[in-house]
Amino acid sequence: MDKPPVLQYINTAIICTLLLASCTSPTNKPEISKEVVEQVTHSGQVPKRVWLNQGWSDKLRQDFWFTGQGSQIIPYSWFTWLEQPDSTALFRDSEHMEMLRYLPSKTSANNPSGLPIGFALHHNQQTGQAWVGMTCAACHTNQLDFNDTKILIEGAPTLANFVLFFSRLNAALEATLNDNQKFNRFAKRVLKGSKSAELIDDLREDLKHVALATAERQTVNALPAHYPEDFTSYARLDAFGNIQNAGTAFALDDLNNKNAPTAPVSYPFLWGTHQSNVVQWNASAPNVPVIGPLVRNIGEVVGVFGSLAIEEAPVWQRVWGKHARYSSTVDIQGLGQLEAWVKTLLPPAWPEQYLPGIDTNKAAQGKVLYQDNCANCHQLIDRKNVLKDYQAVTVPVRTIGTDPTMSNNASCHQAKTLFLAGTKTDILIGNKFDAIDRAIDIPVNGVVGLVLKHPIKAIEAGLVAERAGPNGKKTTAKKSIEERLKVYLKNRHDLSPDTDVDCQDGFYDAGVYKARPLNGIWATAPYLHNGSVPNLWSLLQSPELRPDTFWVGSRQFDPVHVGYITHKGMNEFNVKQGNGDVMPGNSNHGHLHGTTLSNDEKWQLVEFLKTL
């Protein structure tokens, strides 16, 4: 009898597991034993860093770095002992992870293999098997270097190259599978020296399934052939595109049902996220209390190795109106805790103990200029009020003039809905799916299905963040999860006018981008939503004077222009294609506010931005 593959995030495996589990009475269901993960020494050097006061204790910081959210990349022991594709050095080696711009970290109780910040242990809910997956901190923690000081900023956008990481991982798995010496070393470590032929054969078979799954993910999310190989590169990712494909291609089990992720954006900074009324660069997700953050976070996990399966319900269930069944590895409770911590995160203050001091006279003059040129969109929030809720300003894409690709792709990408056709887009409300419909609505449908499947866990997780914070605010579960979802979904539809009309020319006419308060903005380069401007000084130049080529990926901070140095780095960012035309997704045009000031005034404004 063939054994099922170890790869729990392959849709068929998840579905089979859940079907078997559903046949067991809850009272007789056996306890899932979690795989014991032994501590090993981290590989390579971990730099000595300093931290800023952002309202988190050392324990909370560690918990945020390594609390799993249900993401599953590969089994944890595999990631511990996997070698790099082109050498015998471990994949998790600090030098290798630093090259990818993930942050090496030491072995600890909640980081048993000394993996980089944000690479967390997750025990599969059905099997207890230990997996490694990304958590929030992988994409929202950064380090900037000045002289000999390495400053770690919690909640700051990473400089990491996710696409290169996944490409290297895929190559490492393939090399391990096809190189007998590499496989033998891998098997000896993973199996702790066991020479059992049966175990070794099982491991090789499981490795085939994992390698296939990673290759499929890489293929589905590949760029069109005419795009540069390094288009996505360091410090940005098309997260929306990955989430769309997680729903259309993987959840519906049709790998051709995809859209190319051609709109990479900078990773947003986390402070102030919980307090905003809307989230995402295109302000497409309402942040309504309890349910809004949970839906947002489940969607994020789906985009970074958290499985989502949407299976057609059996006939007898469809008679009663249930058209689909939903399953996932998402850890709803973990997400609730992570959101509660993010809610308390403070923006980083410019650290004059490590960086050159602020010129207070220039900054005072810059504040006046800010109020005249910036405050209408980027409201000023005093540091003592940064944990209070605020209403974000949204600006039409055509008005702001920045690159429209993200807005267009997020709203206008289409995909087949398959067996979901004719059912309500949001299960509880909404129009019915056409045979081909908005791609983003499919993963949203899946997220809603997961919340409805686990209503008690969902409401408990959503309430964790509402009960956290310095004001001791308490929120009770007076409303049902269905009531809260309906409010959320109605608000979401209000934010997205009729795309059937607005997307006729491929440009989302109703598209907007979110302008948020700029507290801590000094620590979040590069700028504009797509990372096309390297520093604050360049952002204040008229578009034709902004650099159209610069290096990205350096951690060396430039405190004068406020960004990272641009004359060297890990990869060259190019606004234009070889023929001189602007590369779609890379435009550095638009956002003209402050560009007509004199140079002296611009320097004053930059100095004030350091104080936020």
Side-chain angles (χ1 to χ4, degrees), residues 423-501:
T423 68
K424 288 184 178 180
T425 56
D426 297 318
I427 304 178
L428 297 175
I429 69 169
N431 297 324
K432 292 182 177 180
F433 273 121
D434 292 329
I436 296 178
D437 219 318
R438 285 209 318 169
I440 193 60
D441 287 340
I442 295 174
V444 170
N445 175 279
V447 170
V448 172
L450 293 176
V451 171
L452 291 172
K453 181 179 179 179
H454 303 288
I456 296 176
K457 283 185 179 180
I459 201 73
E460 288 176 348
L463 288 172
V464 172
E466 295 306 310
R467 291 170 178 163
N471 59 4
K473 177 182 176 183
K474 302 289 183 182
T475 301
T476 58
K478 293 180 180 179
K479 294 181 180 178
S480 70
I481 200 70
E482 289 85 358
E483 290 176 297
R484 293 180 184 277
L485 270 173
K486 286 179 180 178
V487 172
Y488 169 85
L489 294 168
K490 182 182 183 304
N491 287 352
R492 179 176 176 268
H493 283 288
D494 290 344
L495 291 172
S496 302
D498 189 355
T499 52
D500 290 339
V501 174

Side-chain angles (χ1 to χ4, degrees), residues 91-112:
F91 196 89
R92 63 182 169 94
D93 183 80
S94 294
E95 186 176 348
H96 184 230
M97 300 312 295
E98 175 59 31
M99 180 276 291
L100 297 168
R101 286 301 183 257
Y102 290 104
L103 295 161
S105 186
K106 294 182 179 180
T107 298
S108 63
N110 51 5
N111 183 26

Side-chain angles (χ1 to χ4, degrees), residues 40-49 51 61-62 65-66 76 92-95 97-98 102-119 137 141 143 152:
V40 298
T41 304
H42 61 273
S43 178
Q45 297 296 313
V46 176
K48 182 179 180 180
R49 306 182 181 102
W51 284 266
R61 182 183 297 115
Q62 283 276 335
W65 292 353
F66 299 115
Y76 198 88
R92 63 182 169 94
D93 183 80
S94 294
E95 186 176 348
M97 300 312 295
E98 175 59 31
Y102 290 104
L103 295 161
S105 186
K106 294 182 179 180
T107 298
S108 63
N110 51 5
N111 183 26
S113 290
L115 303 186
I117 290 173
F119 285 71
T141 312
Q143 172 190 309
L152 192 133

Side-chain angles (χ1 to χ4, degrees), residues 193-376:
S194 172
K195 296 182 180 180
S196 166
E198 183 179 2
L199 289 178
I200 292 172
D201 287 345
D202 285 349
L203 179 62
R204 187 183 291 276
E205 189 66 22
D206 291 342
L207 183 59
K208 288 180 182 178
H209 288 293
V210 173
L212 175 62
T214 56
E216 287 176 347
R217 180 183 175 113
Q218 188 173 34
T219 299
V220 165
N221 289 303
L223 290 166
H226 64 282
Y227 275 69
E229 184 178 349
D230 59 356
F231 175 69
T232 302
S233 190
Y234 289 83
R236 64 182 201 157
L237 175 70
D238 187 348
F240 246 71
N242 278 263
I243 292 170
Q244 285 181 354
N245 287 338
T248 61
F250 292 109
L252 294 182
D253 199 20
D254 182 350
L255 300 188
N256 290 311
N257 196 25
K258 61 183 180 178
N259 288 279
T262 57
V265 296
S266 292
Y267 298 86
F269 52 90
L270 289 190
W271 53 87
T273 299
H274 185 87
Q275 289 76 17
S276 177
N277 64 312
V278 291
V279 293
Q280 308 297 0
W281 285 111
N282 62 343
S284 61
N287 216 21
V288 297
V290 181
I291 197 64
L294 182 62
V295 170
R296 176 224 319 153
N297 288 326
I298 293 176
E300 174 265 325
V301 181
V302 166
V304 286
F305 308 105
S307 73
L308 172 64
I310 306 175
E311 181 197 22
E312 189 170 15
V315 174
W316 65 268
Q317 287 187 337
R318 277 178 269 158
V319 171
W320 299 102
K322 186 175 182 180
H323 300 282
R325 296 196 295 191
Y326 302 86
S327 58
S328 176
T329 61
V330 170
D331 185 338
I332 292 176
Q333 293 167 312
L335 288 178
Q337 188 60 71
L338 288 163
E339 182 69 22
W341 293 328
V342 168
K343 180 181 179 180
T344 66
L345 180 64
L346 299 174
W350 181 274
E352 295 196 60
Q353 68 271 41
Y354 306 122
L355 302 179
I358 294 173
D359 186 322
T360 55
N361 289 325
K362 282 186 178 179
Q365 295 169 307
K367 183 175 182 178
V368 176
L369 294 167
Y370 186 96
Q371 290 171 330
D372 288 341
N373 293 273
C374 312
N376 284 341

